[in-house]
Amino acid sequence: MSMASLFGLSAPLDIEIKFDNEEQRKHLEVKVEKDRKENYPVYLDGETVVGKVNINLRDGKKLEHNGIKVEFVGSIGKSHEFLTLSQELAAPGELRQNTTFDFEFKKVEKQYECYNGINVKLRVTVARRLADTIRERDIWVNSYRMPIEVNNSIKMEVGIEDCLHIEFEYNKSKYYLKDVIVGKIYFLLVRIKIKTMELSIIRRETTGALPNVYNESETITKFEIMDGAPVRGETIPIRLFLGGFELTPTFRGLLAEYVNKKFSTRYYLNLVLIDEENRRYFKQQEITLFRRKVDDGYPPDDDDEE
């Protein structure tokens, strides 16, 4: 989640939003553009958000206003808000001197974790509005959830009749963000000349609602796991460390419904075989990703898996 500010060009005031104990709070550096990163304070689901709004008048001028309020907003991009809480700080009137207002949003249910992707930004914003003057600051929300289903291993086959038969197995289907994917590939029948084999992680974003749905896929990583022709009976081990990649939790499957019925993000393991004539054979399997406190540098809770 990110922070932004917008000031009326003629507004005779400066506005500052400060969160309590902000310096001591965990922060997360997030890539918001190709060459730009922002640093946001991190809050958890159910945690209270407390702070102050400082309004400083310029040149000692008094200011008439139509009311001052602070809002806690969760949105998908700029068009879809799924959470709006508001507190009135001052009734319509006049400010004659610099003023500080306290705000507190108690035990806010932050249902969705923040996400910054190709075409979607999930944002929680603390904003105050004074006539046409707006000052915003974003926070980043982390949500820690335990898998609620049996974490079965993944077993699949890739085959071309009488030419190729491969079985591959991954140790489980649900992973934490800093987990390790362990697996094996078994060659049961090889009658075509395989040149190379690649394994990739693909993230797929889905936005909008029927009939206007937009899908965007991004390859997070791709690496070669075999170079050269395999023979029947050969086994290739797979060991992929997820901690080095910028991953987020799965937003569908993890939640009862995807975010506000307008956004989801899912992850897939994609296995690709390329023969000497550059024909490609592939098999794709969805995996589910979770966040846990130990992955973010927190001490593990009793129910965190090691």
Side-chain angles (χ1 to χ4, degrees), residues 223-271:
F223 67 99
E224 189 177 88
I225 57 177
M226 185 198 71
D227 184 11
V231 297
R232 179 179 178 180
E234 189 169 357
T235 300
I236 296 178
I238 296 175
R239 195 169 183 85
L240 176 58
F241 292 84
L242 299 179
F245 310 115
E246 293 186 359
L247 302 172
T248 66
T250 297
F251 274 106
R252 186 174 181 176
L254 171 63
L255 300 176
E257 59 181 21
Y258 59 103
V259 180
N260 210 34
K261 299 183 179 179
K262 292 183 174 63
F263 169 68
S264 71
T265 179
R266 306 168 79 166
Y267 287 88
Y268 298 85
L269 290 176
N270 195 48
L271 181 68

Side-chain angles (χ1 to χ4, degrees), residues 154-160 164-170 185 197-202 204 225 238 268-274 280-286:
I154 300 173
K155 295 182 180 181
M156 293 189 298
E157 297 183 4
V158 177
I160 303 173
L164 179 70
H165 186 189
I166 298 174
E167 291 183 353
F168 62 98
E169 178 178 352
Y170 301 117
I185 299 175
M197 186 186 307
E198 299 173 347
L199 182 66
S200 58
I201 299 177
I202 296 174
R204 183 170 300 151
I225 57 177
I238 296 175
Y268 298 85
L269 290 176
N270 195 48
L271 181 68
V272 180
L273 288 80
I274 305 171
R280 302 170 71 89
Y281 314 92
F282 69 92
K283 192 76 170 182
Q284 194 171 89
Q285 173 64 38
E286 183 174 4

Side-chain angles (χ1 to χ4, degrees), residues 29 55 74 84 105 111 148 162 252 260 270 272 284:
E29 190 176 63
I55 298 181
T84 303
F105 294 96
Q111 186 178 5
I148 59 176
D162 298 328
R252 186 174 181 176
N260 210 34
N270 195 48
V272 180
Q284 194 171 89

Side-chain angles (χ1 to χ4, degrees), residues 1-2 27-33 35-40 42 114-117 121 139-140 142 246:
M1 304 201 176
S2 59
H27 283 67
L28 184 68
E29 190 176 63
V30 179
K31 182 178 178 181
V32 293
E33 295 177 359
D35 299 317
R36 186 169 68 89
K37 294 184 176 181
E38 294 284 353
N39 207 352
Y40 305 133
V42 176
C114 289
Y115 179 82
N116 189 19
K121 291 179 176 62
I139 67 174
W140 193 271
N142 280 353
E246 293 186 359

Side-chain angles (χ1 to χ4, degrees), residues 61-77:
K61 295 181 180 179
K62 66 180 181 179
L63 179 73
E64 293 184 0
H65 62 84
N66 296 323
I68 303 171
K69 65 179 178 179
V70 60
E71 295 179 305
F72 193 92
V73 179
S75 66
I76 303 174

Side-chain angles (χ1 to χ4, degrees), residues 276-299:
E276 291 189 345
E277 297 180 9
N278 288 322
R279 290 176 297 198
R280 302 170 71 89
Y281 314 92
F282 69 92
K283 192 76 170 182
Q284 194 171 89
Q285 173 64 38
E286 183 174 4
I287 59 174
T288 302
L289 298 182
F290 294 84
R291 182 186 298 280
R292 62 175 179 173
K293 290 184 180 180
V294 70
D295 288 336
D296 288 336
Y298 289 94

Side-chain angles (χ1 to χ4, degrees), residues 1 13 31 52 57 84 97 99 110 112 114 121 148-149 153 158 162 192 194 212 214 220 237 249 252 262 273 275:
M1 304 201 176
L13 76 160
K31 182 178 178 181
K52 300 179 185 297
L57 304 181
T84 303
Q97 60 186 6
T99 306
K110 309 172 196 71
Y112 305 120
C114 289
K121 291 179 176 62
I148 59 176
E149 303 171 23
S153 61
V158 177
D162 298 328
I192 59 176
I194 301 297
N212 301 312
Y214 179 72
I220 304 300
R252 186 174 181 176
K262 292 183 174 63
L273 288 80
D275 68 15

